[in-house]
Amino acid sequence: MASRGLGGLSGSRGGAGGGGKKSLSARNAAVERRNLITVCRFSVKTLIDRSCFETIDDSSPEFNNFAAILEQILSHRLKGQVTWFGYESPRSFWDYIRVACRKVSQNCICSIENMENVSSSRAKGRAWIRVALMEKHLSEYISTALRDFKTTRRFYEDGAIVLGEEANMLAGMLLGLNAIDFSFCLKGEGLDGHFPAVIDYTPYLKFTQSSDSISSDEEELRTLGSSGSESSTPENVGPPFITDENSWFNKCKRVKQKYQLTLEQKGYLEELLRLRENQLSESVSQNKILLQRIEDSDLAHKLEKEQLEYIIVELQDQLKSYQSLDQLSAEVSLSQTSLDPGQSQEDGKQDALNLIGEDLREKAFSFFLLSMLPVGLFIYGLYYAEVKKILPHYLVSVGL
């Protein structure tokens, strides 16, 4: 019985130990992801602040630190590549990027693959980071890759940053880098893929010592100084401490610099707003002018249409009158031939009149076919001018 009780106790302890290891592992993974995302956010802020004063290139420590952070985030819990013999060889995040970012329009994947001075996979990944920053498309690349969840799942293990909730935060952080103009050389030492990137955490670490702690440290130094030789002075022992006045002065100086920067940005934005308002007012005035021109052209077209319809009706009436004249002339000619068939001159005139009448009828018929077309109206104008020329002679010959 005692042995059974001891066995059950040891089993419960083993189960508790296994659960504790799992919780510790989950905590460590969560802390690692949170640390990388937090330091990435700090590095993006420092890059944006530095870009206000100088151009960001390969020599900038802020950029080198950001590139190392992004490389470690994209390499976090990256699966290895399994060979034919069952061995797992390490791979770079570039193997994932070149597959997941193919859908980006006008991507730089093929150009980086064809670079002559970049051979290793890690170097190609670093070249991609620089090209994407210069193109201002880094956030778009990351967002497209994260949306391809199937490919991301194939390349990364459980617990990776790109598979967690932190991935959406990463894409949003990188969006602010589109406002920076980067200038990189793709042949420098930064593309060397033989050594892994190392993050420098010192720019993001800040320790503020309270006034009570400073006074206690000074008292301790005095005690140590008085217990020593008489020649030693407590003022020369230990490192100097920053007083409260100096710390407040430094804070005031930083606030003043931020205030000046804010004023400059405010002036720039006001000038930009004024320029956009002027452009908007000019566009509105031009729009009004174009609308007025359209209305004027519509009115002119309506008037022209009415005039053309009136001219068509008038010409049709004139055609009817000409046809009645032709019939009258034909009757007169028949009566004259029946009364005096021997007059050859009158017969010749009558033949000429008949020819003129036939010509007029043919032209009237052709005009009737073209009267509904704009081009036919122009042709009929020429015909009408010709009729006006012939009509007096015709009337004289008929005797009207």
Side-chain angles (χ1 to χ4, degrees):
M1 296 291 291
S3 62
R4 289 180 182 178
L6 292 174
L9 183 61
S10 62
S12 62
R13 287 180 181 176
K21 288 181 180 179
K22 289 182 180 179
S23 62
L24 182 61
S25 176
R27 176 193 172 277
N28 291 339
V31 170
E32 184 180 8
R33 293 195 301 269
R34 187 168 61 250
N35 289 343
L36 285 174
I37 291 295
T38 304
V39 77
C40 181
R41 184 170 66 250
F42 288 156
S43 65
V44 170
K45 289 183 178 179
T46 54
L47 268 177
I48 294 175
D49 293 341
R50 178 62 62 182
S51 66
C52 298
F53 303 101
E54 61 183 20
T55 304
I56 305 298
D57 53 11
D58 296 282
S59 62
S60 175
E62 290 81 6
F63 164 72
N64 293 325
N65 216 24
F66 167 76
I69 294 168
L70 184 60
E71 184 174 342
Q72 288 206 13
I73 288 175
L74 295 177
S75 302
H76 183 250
R77 301 187 71 84
L78 183 67
K79 292 181 181 179
Q81 187 174 6
V82 180
T83 61
W84 288 97
F85 300 101
Y87 296 104
E88 187 175 345
S89 60
R91 64 174 19 152
S92 173
F93 69 92
W94 170 247
D95 299 328
Y96 163 68
I97 291 296
R98 69 179 180 180
V99 176
C101 295
R102 291 285 185 182
K103 298 179 181 179
V104 178
S105 60
Q106 298 179 358
N107 61 73
C108 60
I109 305 297
C110 295
S111 60
I112 292 176
E113 286 281 2
N114 298 327
M115 291 178 67
E116 298 179 354
N117 59 320
V118 180
S119 57
S120 65
S121 179
R122 182 180 294 169
K124 289 180 180 179
R126 293 174 179 175
W128 167 78
I129 292 175
R130 287 160 170 79
V131 173
L133 285 172
M134 288 191 290
E135 292 180 349
K136 303 180 186 297
H137 289 162
L138 181 60
S139 177
E140 182 181 358
Y141 279 109
I142 296 297
S143 300
T144 305
L146 295 178
R147 283 195 297 267
D148 191 357
F149 187 76
K150 185 177 179 181
T151 303
T152 307
R153 193 77 179 174
R154 181 162 55 92
F155 277 87
Y156 287 91
E157 300 176 355
D158 293 336
I161 294 177
V162 294
L163 291 175
E165 298 178 355
E166 298 86 355
N168 297 326
M169 298 172 57
L170 176 65
M173 273 185 248
L174 301 178
L175 191 61
L177 298 178
N178 294 343
I180 303 177
D181 294 329
F182 293 93
S183 177
F184 300 120
C185 177
L186 300 180
K187 298 181 181 180
E189 298 179 355
L191 300 180
D192 187 9
H194 297 89
F195 302 99
V198 179
I199 302 175
D200 182 13
Y201 291 96
T202 54
Y204 316 118
L205 299 177
K206 183 179 180 182
F207 174 72
T208 304
Q209 195 171 13
S210 63
S211 58
D212 297 336
S213 177
I214 293 174
S215 61
S216 63
D217 290 342
E218 289 178 348
E219 216 167 292
E220 186 178 353
L221 287 174
R222 289 195 191 94
T223 305
L224 291 174
S226 61
S227 63
S229 61
E230 297 179 355
S231 60
S232 62
T233 58
E235 288 79 11
N236 297 330
V237 179
F241 291 96
I242 301 176
T243 61
D244 290 340
E245 294 181 358
N246 290 335
S247 63
W248 281 109
F249 177 76
N250 292 331
K251 289 180 180 179
C252 182
K253 187 176 180 180
R254 287 196 296 270
V255 170
K256 186 177 180 180
Q257 291 177 353
K258 290 183 179 179
Y259 177 70
Q260 293 292 337
L261 180 61
T262 306
L263 281 181
E264 293 177 359
Q265 292 177 351
K266 177 176 175 291
Y268 170 74
L269 292 176
E270 288 178 351
E271 183 66 21
L272 186 62
L273 179 62
R274 186 184 62 80
L275 181 62
R276 293 293 182 266
E277 287 178 351
N278 293 336
Q279 292 177 352
L280 180 61
S281 61
E282 291 178 359
S283 300
V284 170
S285 61
Q286 290 178 359
N287 190 19
K288 289 181 180 178
I289 293 172
L290 291 175
L291 289 175
Q292 186 64 32
R293 289 180 180 176
I294 291 172
E295 292 178 358
D296 295 341
S297 62
D298 290 340
L299 182 60
H301 290 161
K302 289 180 181 178
L303 293 175
E304 289 179 359
K305 183 179 179 182
E306 293 176 356
Q307 292 177 358
L308 291 175
E309 291 176 352
Y310 177 75
I311 291 172
I312 290 172
V313 172
E314 185 179 358
L315 290 175
Q316 288 177 352
D317 295 338
Q318 291 179 3
L319 278 175
K320 292 178 181 179
S321 63
Y322 292 155
Q323 289 176 358
S324 62
L325 288 175
D326 291 339
Q327 292 176 0
L328 180 61
S329 64
E331 292 176 357
V332 170
S333 62
L334 289 173
S335 62
Q336 287 181 356
T337 52
S338 61
L339 293 173
D340 192 4
Q343 296 179 356
S344 60
Q345 293 180 355
E346 294 294 333
D347 293 339
K349 291 181 180 180
Q350 188 61 36
D351 293 335
L353 288 174
N354 291 334
L355 292 175
I356 292 173
E358 291 177 359
D359 190 15
L360 287 173
R361 282 192 294 273
E362 291 176 358
K363 290 182 179 179
F365 180 74
S366 62
F367 169 76
F368 180 75
L369 294 176
L370 297 173
S371 60
M372 301 306 294
L373 299 173
V375 179
L377 183 61
F378 175 74
I379 297 174
Y380 186 75
L382 298 177
Y383 165 71
Y384 182 62
E386 183 178 356
V387 170
K388 288 180 67 177
K389 292 180 181 178
I390 299 173
L391 186 60
H393 301 285
Y394 173 75
L395 294 176
V396 169
S397 62
V398 174
L400 295 177

